[in-house]
Amino acid sequence: TGDVGSTCYISAAQEFSSGETFSANNLVIQDGGSIYNTGNDGTNGYTLVLSLTGNLTLENNSYIEGGRLNISAYNLDVAEGGVIKTDYRGYNLQRGPGYYARYYGSTHAGRGALNPDDIYGDAYTPESFGSGSYEGAGGGVIVLSAINIILNGSLSSLGESKMSTNQNGASGGSIWIISDNLEGNGTI
């Protein structure tokens, strides 16, 4: 509900298409609301661009999920219980520059278990997907740009782990935060 010229409110699940850009002034994702896409293009998860001239607010029990999330706003406020995530939305199973072989953990910013391959990615501009493992997908990419960020919820880009099958896990993805002020008690 609402108006892209003032404030939009999302109170239920809203699926997006790959490569979709959502532009508005202010966006509030309310308790129980989400913007998501869990699909992939055969290699990694879908991309969503949120381009806000004002504020982005995620209330308790709300989330944004996709393969690559590019989010820009003036202020970003993620309440406790709010989540921005790209878990398991990076490179698919057995794909990516850090995948080596069965029983080996995938490499990314650090070396995977038993994996002899070099690490990849850039610590100064972290925008690379995590590599898949033999049985799990890597983590996706989150790029946040806001003057002020209050994080009491969580940012997450986990690689999938199938430890019950004695396989080492996929590598996590990338989280890049560009901000003048980051505060709160949340987790990254």
Side-chain angles (χ1 to χ4, degrees), residues 1-175:
T1 64
D3 178 329
V4 295
S6 58
T7 302
C8 289
Y9 297 91
I10 295 177
S11 60
Q14 300 291 316
E15 186 170 11
F16 65 87
S17 302
S18 181
E20 188 170 338
T21 297
F22 180 84
S23 298
N25 186 16
N26 300 304
L27 175 62
V28 177
I29 303 177
Q30 297 174 307
D31 187 339
S34 64
I35 300 176
Y36 75 96
N37 193 309
T38 56
N40 68 66
D41 64 9
T43 302
N44 47 255
Y46 289 146
T47 297
L48 170 66
V49 177
L50 290 178
S51 179
L52 306 173
T53 57
N55 304 319
L56 172 60
T57 303
L58 277 80
E59 294 180 350
N60 181 45
N61 194 33
S62 67
Y63 67 91
I64 300 172
E65 179 179 15
R68 178 184 179 87
L69 301 173
N70 291 348
I71 300 171
S72 62
Y74 189 80
N75 295 304
L76 171 60
D77 186 354
V78 182
E80 184 176 354
V83 180
I84 298 174
K85 62 183 176 177
T86 59
D87 296 347
Y88 324 139
R89 303 287 173 237
Y91 284 107
N92 289 335
L93 303 128
Q94 303 172 32
R95 291 183 183 247
Y99 173 72
Y100 185 71
R102 189 175 186 170
Y103 304 116
Y104 292 77
S106 293
T107 291
H108 182 196
R111 194 174 307 278
L114 308 173
N115 193 325
D117 286 346
D118 289 334
I119 63 173
Y120 68 96
D122 187 330
Y124 297 103
T125 55
E127 295 187 84
S128 51
F129 289 101
S131 290
S133 65
Y134 187 76
E135 292 187 332
V141 176
I142 299 171
V143 178
L144 296 179
S145 177
I147 300 298
N148 300 296
I149 297 175
I150 300 172
L151 179 64
N152 289 308
S154 66
L155 306 177
S156 181
S157 185
L158 299 173
E160 195 169 14
S161 177
K162 301 276 186 158
M163 297 309 288
S164 63
T165 60
N166 292 325
Q167 305 296 324
N168 282 305
S171 56
S174 299
I175 299 176

